[in-house]
């Protein structure tokens, strides 16, 4: 818990002290509750874990399926409307803003939800759908709809999402990178 509170203190300028973070940050509450719900889910208490996750959703506005796998130091800022599906996998040091969906398309069986690499930032309202990979250090722009893999160290924006930067350099219609655009 200390590690998560420290993360919130570092990443949120509105966090003035640890007690305030512990008491008033619903993203933190949702992530900590998920730890318990995920444990119960893995031990076979699926109905109980789903019931508890629905209670957490009611109080926090953050819906995390207890089957989702979440790495260390997930930071959820203004978590209202976040949805994380059952087979989603989230790496370490990921940032999610309000309204993010890590969901399925309804077409897949088995692994149906995205895998998010380490150090990824997903901006407000972004929808990442299907069993795709968002590779490490990527950034997803606000309200982007991501339906394909996102390369490491890149930025994607738009509907459907397109790569606009790789390694901090603008990408302008490079032949070897599909779905790129110059903005």
């Amino acid at each position: 818990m200390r590690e998560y509170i420290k993360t919130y203190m570092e990443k949120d300028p509105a966090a003035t002290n640890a007690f305030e973070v512990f008491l008033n940050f619903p993203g933190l509450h949702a992530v900590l509750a998920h730890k318990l719900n995920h444990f119960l889910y893995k031990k076979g208490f699926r109905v109980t874990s789903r019931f508890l996750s629905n209670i957490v959703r009611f109080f926090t506005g953050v819906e995390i399926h207890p089957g989702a796998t979440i790495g260390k130091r997930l930071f959820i800022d203004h978590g209202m409307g976040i949805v994380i599906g059952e087979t989603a996998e989230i790496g370490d040091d990921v940032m999610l803003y309000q309204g993010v969906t890590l969901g399925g398309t309804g077409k897949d069986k088995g692994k149906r939800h995205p895998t998010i690499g380490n150090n990824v930032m997903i901006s407000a309202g972004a929808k990442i759908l299907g069993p795709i990979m968002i590779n490490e250090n990527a950034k997803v722009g606000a309200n982007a709809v991501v339906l394909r893999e996102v390369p490491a160290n890149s930025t994607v924006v738009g509907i459907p999402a397109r790569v606009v930067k790789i390694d901090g350099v603008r990408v302008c219609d490079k032949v070897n990178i599909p779905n790129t655009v110059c903005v």
Side-chain angles (χ1 to χ4, degrees), residues 45-155:
F45 297 99
R46 294 187 175 208
V47 173
T48 302
S49 65
R50 292 291 308 272
F51 177 74
L52 293 173
S53 71
N54 282 323
I55 291 172
V56 172
R57 179 184 61 177
F58 176 79
F59 283 106
T60 66
V62 178
E63 180 177 341
I64 306 175
H65 191 286
T69 303
I70 295 178
K72 298 176 184 172
R73 297 173 299 277
L74 172 62
F75 176 75
I76 296 177
D77 195 18
H78 301 289
M80 186 59 72
I82 287 180
V83 177
I84 301 173
E86 178 182 20
T87 62
E89 300 173 51
I90 300 175
D92 298 337
D93 302 305
V94 171
M95 293 179 65
L96 301 179
Y97 290 90
Q98 69 271 15
V100 167
T101 298
L102 304 180
T105 62
K107 299 176 183 177
D108 300 295
K109 304 267 188 236
K111 173 77 168 137
R112 304 180 308 281
H113 302 97
T115 299
I116 310 299
N118 296 333
N119 302 307
V120 170
M121 183 195 71
I122 304 174
S123 298
K127 308 302 178 219
I128 303 173
L129 305 174
I132 60 174
M133 178 73 186
I134 309 299
N135 287 286
E136 63 276 351
N137 304 310
K139 294 179 182 175
V140 177
N143 294 315
V145 177
V146 184
L147 302 171
R148 296 182 183 194
E149 181 171 348
V150 174
N153 307 306
S154 66
T155 301

Side-chain angles (χ1 to χ4, degrees), residues 163-164 170-173 180-183:
V163 175
V164 293
R170 285 179 24 171
V171 175
C172 294
D173 301 323
T180 60
V181 66
C182 198
V183 291

Side-chain angles (χ1 to χ4, degrees), residues 2-38:
R2 288 181 194 180
E3 183 177 43
Y4 281 98
I5 290 174
K6 181 181 176 194
T7 298
Y8 275 75
M9 294 292 296
E10 290 171 357
K11 294 187 176 185
D12 192 337
T16 57
N17 63 64
F19 182 70
E20 178 193 23
V21 170
F22 176 74
L23 196 61
N24 294 318
F25 282 62
L28 174 66
H29 301 151
V31 171
L32 294 177
H34 176 266
K35 298 291 183 188
L36 170 64
N37 293 334
H38 185 69

